[in-house]
Amino acid sequence: MPGDPFYVCYHVASTCRPRRQGFAQPSRSASPTLCELQRRGQSLGHAKEIVLKAQILAGGRGKGVFSSGLKGGVHLTKDPKVVGQLAKQMIGYNLTTKQTPKEGVKVNKLMVAEALNISRETYFAILMDRSCNGPVLVGSPQGGMDIEEVAASSPELIFKEQIDIMEGIKDSQAQRMAENLGFLGPLKNQAADEIKKLYHLFLKIDATQVEVNPFGETPEGQVVCFDAKINFDDNAEFRQKDIFAMDDGSENEPIENEAAKYDLKYIGLDGNIACFVNGAGLAMATCDIIFLNGGKPANFLDLGGGVQEAQVYQAFKLLTADPKRQRRQDRYRPDRGPRRWGTRSTALKSAE
């Protein structure tokens, strides 16, 4: 969605280094080279099973297909020697999933991790909820699957705990969530402890979402964060420089990366009417109006409320460079941006 916070779904490195925070998670690492991947596979020779997972910003990788012909972006093997053989068919090839473009996305990194047996899967997330004016814990004993499907088919299996951000998470709330997720006996305390650690991480890294799916247990009786994705508040970039430095724009369209240099929000769409708007809400409304009148927007371009003349100029350059653009729709709020909007026509004349 336009204006979303910085989003990370790479499973390795996890941007927040969960192991350093004391979380229980499988041993894992990511690499862009075959030699490193083979070495990593050999180092996991003690593991009962090893998992390789393509590192791209898209879901549905398990059912994806590589341009090499290999099926599946996630593979399991018990033989460390096979890691290199699989990696050769994954690194450098495009992976197509239900969430990628038709041509797929090039895979430049693979995660290699110790595969742990999962005896039971649950879902757990912490979200920043505007309606609650703060964080909310969301959990379900039905994990390892699309949580939207669970919410639609079995809403009674979705549990929520609203957190007072001034008081923080209470032990009773963590214990209640662990119980609702189905953890029993000693596992209940383990799960509650992991939930509290996740909440403190949520605050520490300025996250808007921390989602663990599955949040599960092993046959040996250990609660583990098996897989996670995190959204970061892009307004907190000034104090989360290490995290934002890991942002990888290689999967973005070049025009999106160019827009980001000037603090512009640009997302390419498949229409032919260019949109030039200051304010994300107004931009979305403009796209809706275009659709309602039988047109299709070529882009979403939000200049933001504090836009300066140089940004207006660069925005027009981006629009006029788009070969799909046949006409332009400008909309702005008079109470936002420069008062001297004469610069708009000057910028457009210079750009065109």
Side-chain angles (χ1 to χ4, degrees), residues 59-181:
R61 284 167 287 178
K63 296 181 180 180
V65 179
F66 282 94
S67 55
S68 65
L70 182 67
K71 294 183 178 179
V74 181
H75 287 270
L76 293 167
T77 178
K78 295 181 180 180
D79 185 354
K81 297 178 181 179
V82 176
V83 170
Q85 298 172 17
L86 288 169
K88 288 179 181 179
Q89 302 176 72
M90 301 170 78
I91 287 285
Y93 291 97
N94 283 19
L95 176 61
T96 303
T97 77
K98 62 182 181 180
Q99 292 187 11
T100 66
K102 292 182 180 179
E103 66 275 12
V105 174
K106 186 177 180 180
V107 175
N108 295 312
K109 285 186 179 181
L110 297 180
M111 178 193 77
V112 182
E114 176 185 3
L116 299 180
N117 290 326
I118 306 176
S119 59
R120 196 174 68 86
E121 299 180 344
T122 75
Y123 171 93
F124 176 72
I126 307 172
L127 310 172
M128 192 63 77
D129 190 333
R130 287 186 178 183
S131 64
C132 299
N133 294 318
V136 175
L137 310 183
V138 180
S140 173
Q142 296 292 320
M145 57 188 296
D146 191 338
I147 194 63
E148 284 79 11
E149 293 181 10
V150 177
S153 60
S154 306
E156 72 280 2
L157 295 179
I158 302 294
F159 298 93
K160 296 182 179 181
E161 288 282 345
Q162 184 175 339
I163 306 297
D164 185 322
I165 200 167
M166 302 304 293
E167 294 183 5
I169 188 170
K170 299 177 181 177
D171 289 342
S172 60
Q173 291 178 305
Q175 288 282 337
R176 187 160 53 243
M177 179 58 73
E179 184 175 342
N180 286 332
L181 295 180

Side-chain angles (χ1 to χ4, degrees), residues 5 18 24 27 52 67-68 113 131 160 220 250 253 290 293 306 336 347:
S27 174
L52 282 82
S67 55
S68 65
S131 64
K160 296 182 179 181
E220 295 75 27
S250 63
E253 291 292 332
I290 292 172
N293 286 275
R336 303 180 71 170

Side-chain angles (χ1 to χ4, degrees), residues 215-237:
F215 180 61
E217 59 185 77
T218 68
E220 295 75 27
Q222 184 181 18
V223 178
V224 178
C225 299
F226 285 96
D227 206 348
K229 63 182 179 183
I230 304 172
N231 280 12
F232 300 93
D233 184 350
D234 53 9
N235 291 310
E237 181 177 0

